[in-house]
Amino acid sequence: MKPLLSAPGILLLIISLPIQAGVVIGGTRVIFAGNNKETSLNVSNPEQERPYLIQSWVEGDNGEKAPFLVTPPLFRLDPGQENVLRIVLTRSGQPQDRESLYWLNIKSVPQLEKSSNEANVLHLTVKTRLKLFYRPAALTKGADEAWRQLTFSVHGSTLSAHNPTPYYLNLKQISAGGKPVKATLAALTLAPFARHDYPLPAGSAGQISWSVITDYGSTTPVQQQTIGHPY
């Protein structure tokens, strides 16, 4: 079995946060409007001494090639500097009646410091994955209020969430009768026109409460619905 680290140690972390080991990303998600040819995202290095090598690319939900090109795909980001990632649509063919989901990957590799103790230093390479939503031109209006159309229903011990809109809805949290509903991050992302089932907490009754993450990374006000009745 190969060792996880070697000297100098290099560790790869995959996170979904806008800040990664000194490199700051100017957003928590990317909305690519279908009426534009490209969009952009800022990346900055607020550190005073350490430069980073930045590598970026877009892929599908299962790692497949995506119809987007990121430029520059690879560059050095010096201390105190900022650069702009341009995300360009390279081919058409996306559904025009609903959003499509892709992933923007941004990997930051710190410069290795030359020192006599280098063998004992752990160098962190961090990869951030941001959701990239392709939003067709016909759907540029209406996304801000789409979360209000989300409904829930109960079937036995199962809670069903129904997204009747052409937009992806990203749930921040769900609770039933004041008890949190267990769900993975993937399960909290509701695809357009889709339904997802969650196990109801034992003994839950009363109301279902939920909130949704907006395009800007903020959270909507908590909404409530009486279990078993339409909202």
Side-chain angles (χ1 to χ4, degrees), residues 1-229:
M1 182 175 181
K2 295 182 179 180
L4 181 62
L5 296 175
S6 59
I10 296 181
L11 177 64
L12 176 62
L13 301 179
I14 301 178
I15 61 175
S16 298
L17 299 175
I19 299 178
Q20 48 169 335
V23 172
V24 178
I25 302 172
T28 60
R29 63 204 60 237
V30 177
I31 308 297
F32 194 105
N35 54 351
N36 294 333
K37 294 182 179 180
E38 64 179 65
T39 190
S40 61
L41 185 69
N42 290 342
V43 179
S44 61
N45 178 8
E47 294 197 10
Q48 298 181 356
E49 297 181 358
R50 186 190 299 274
Y52 286 85
L53 186 66
I54 307 296
Q55 182 182 16
S56 307
W57 70 97
V58 179
E59 62 187 11
D61 205 28
N62 298 312
E64 67 272 19
K65 187 175 181 180
F68 294 94
L69 175 68
V70 181
T71 60
L74 184 68
F75 62 92
R76 174 189 169 105
L77 189 61
D78 287 322
Q81 288 193 343
E82 180 177 295
N83 206 343
V84 177
L85 296 176
R86 293 174 55 243
I87 305 168
V88 182
L89 182 66
T90 57
R91 66 176 186 270
S92 58
Q94 294 75 25
Q96 295 301 302
D97 65 336
R98 67 193 67 196
E99 287 185 333
S100 299
L101 172 62
Y102 301 93
W103 293 90
L104 171 63
N105 298 274
I106 303 175
K107 183 187 293 185
S108 63
V109 182
Q111 176 176 288
L112 302 183
E113 297 180 358
K114 295 182 179 180
S115 68
S116 57
N117 296 323
E118 183 176 286
N120 298 320
V121 175
L122 179 65
H123 300 284
L124 297 180
T125 295
V126 182
K127 186 176 80 171
T128 295
R129 280 165 57 89
L130 303 181
K131 292 176 181 175
L132 187 157
F133 298 101
Y134 173 83
R135 182 170 295 165
L139 301 179
T140 52
K141 295 182 179 180
D144 291 345
E145 298 296 318
W147 59 274
R148 296 183 183 277
Q149 301 180 48
L150 178 62
T151 60
F152 291 86
S153 58
V154 175
H155 307 279
S157 60
T158 300
L159 174 66
S160 295
H162 179 223
N163 175 14
T165 78
Y167 305 96
Y168 273 88
L169 296 179
N170 298 273
L171 287 161
K172 176 69 173 179
Q173 57 81 31
I174 320 171
S175 62
K179 298 181 179 181
V181 174
K182 294 183 179 180
T184 64
L185 289 176
L188 291 174
T189 301
L190 300 177
F193 308 120
R195 185 184 302 273
H196 195 89
D197 294 335
Y198 308 92
L200 270 175
S204 59
Q207 289 186 323
I208 298 172
S209 302
W210 76 93
S211 58
V212 173
I213 302 173
T214 70
D215 284 353
Y216 310 102
S218 59
T219 305
T220 66
V222 175
Q223 301 295 296
Q224 293 184 332
Q225 176 186 329
T226 301
I227 291 179
H229 294 79

